[in-house]
Amino acid sequence: MQNFAQEMQAAFALVLAGDSELLGIVGLSLRVSLFAVLCAALIGMPLGAALAVGRFPGRRAMVVLVNALMGLPPVVVGLIVYLMLSRSGPLGVLQLLYTPTAMIIAQVVLVAPIIAALTRQVVEMLDAEYAEQMRSLGLSRLATVPVLLWDGRVALLTALLAGFGRAIAEVGAVIIVGGNINHVTRVMTTAIALETSKGNLALALALGAVLIGIAVAVNALVSLLGARSRAEALAHA
């Protein structure tokens, strides 16, 4: 118990002192996850909106597929991306394996279905509410998409935060495609696993505390935005 207290004390000392190694790992984690969420949003939001307002053959099957992809096993995603980017893979010529770019690609594959599914739900509800009004203005279904996305911006922001939460906490996929290389691809989750196995519990606990802090902040933002969205919905009712 005394050793644990000492390790906790050393961990908080690292956080308060702004340890350079700690900050480097946290910084890389944030850059990779934020860029992955941005790329996933550029894919997932248009796809989700298209599934919400579009009427085309195979739409129902695509909705089921997107919902199913939300539960993709991270290690399987990591394996697939690894095979695609490996020297003998179709994208091996790009030499992206064991780089932050490879980690971003893996996170995009994991996060894009989440953003697409949540976007579809938001836009579908708004489309049902404003469909007659939009049609009376002579807007086609495709033309209503930007309007609906803007109207649902608060709810869509919660979708982005949910995607960021998934990305920042990912370990299985990123360790496969990133390799956990020091100062290159070592992010918070992979560093925690490595430092724990090495017995360097102070750094592992410090990174864990930062990761928990980020998770709490993201969940708090989701709750606040959700409450605001519900309040706006009641005001429009």
Side-chain angles (χ1 to χ4, degrees):
M1 190 67 182
Q2 185 178 0
N3 289 337
F4 177 74
Q6 291 174 348
E7 295 291 353
M8 286 294 294
Q9 185 177 1
F12 282 110
L14 287 175
V15 174
L16 295 175
D19 179 74
S20 59
E21 184 176 3
L22 174 72
L23 293 179
I25 293 171
V26 172
L28 179 62
S29 300
L30 292 174
R31 289 195 299 273
V32 167
S33 296
L34 287 171
F35 195 74
V37 170
L38 175 61
C39 295
L42 294 176
I43 298 169
M45 283 189 169
L47 175 60
L51 291 175
V53 304
R55 297 295 181 267
F56 52 87
R59 172 182 172 275
R60 189 179 298 275
M62 285 192 65
V63 170
V64 173
L65 178 62
V66 168
N67 288 337
L69 291 177
M70 292 176 66
L72 274 174
V75 290
V76 175
V77 171
L79 175 61
I80 293 171
V81 175
Y82 175 88
L83 293 174
M84 294 290 288
L85 299 180
S86 64
R87 184 171 299 179
S88 58
L91 301 178
V93 67
L94 299 177
Q95 297 183 343
L96 295 177
L97 198 61
Y98 303 134
T99 67
T101 302
M103 298 162 67
I104 290 170
I105 293 171
Q107 288 190 359
V108 168
V109 175
L110 289 168
V111 173
I114 296 174
I115 294 177
L118 295 177
T119 298
R120 182 194 64 79
Q121 293 174 5
V122 171
V123 174
E124 202 168 65
M125 288 188 295
L126 291 173
D127 183 52
E129 183 178 353
Y130 298 120
E132 292 185 8
Q133 184 179 353
M134 296 292 185
R135 305 301 176 267
S136 67
L137 294 173
L139 295 176
S140 65
R141 285 192 170 274
L142 185 60
T144 64
V145 169
V147 179
L148 295 174
L149 287 174
W150 175 253
D151 193 66
R153 59 191 181 278
V154 175
L156 292 175
L157 186 54
T158 65
L160 295 180
L161 289 171
F164 176 75
R166 172 70 183 268
I168 198 72
E170 177 49 41
V171 58
V174 297
I175 201 170
I176 292 174
V177 301
N180 199 19
I181 303 170
N182 194 24
H183 302 303
V184 179
T185 59
R186 185 164 297 168
V187 292
M188 284 189 285
T189 50
T190 59
I192 289 171
L194 177 66
E195 298 303 329
T196 300
S197 66
K198 289 166 55 179
N200 187 4
L201 297 182
L203 181 56
L205 286 169
L207 290 167
V210 173
L211 188 58
I212 290 173
I214 292 172
V216 170
V218 168
N219 281 298
L221 280 173
V222 169
S223 298
L224 288 173
L225 290 171
R228 180 181 172 183
S229 181
R230 287 190 295 272
E232 290 182 354
L234 291 173
H236 291 154

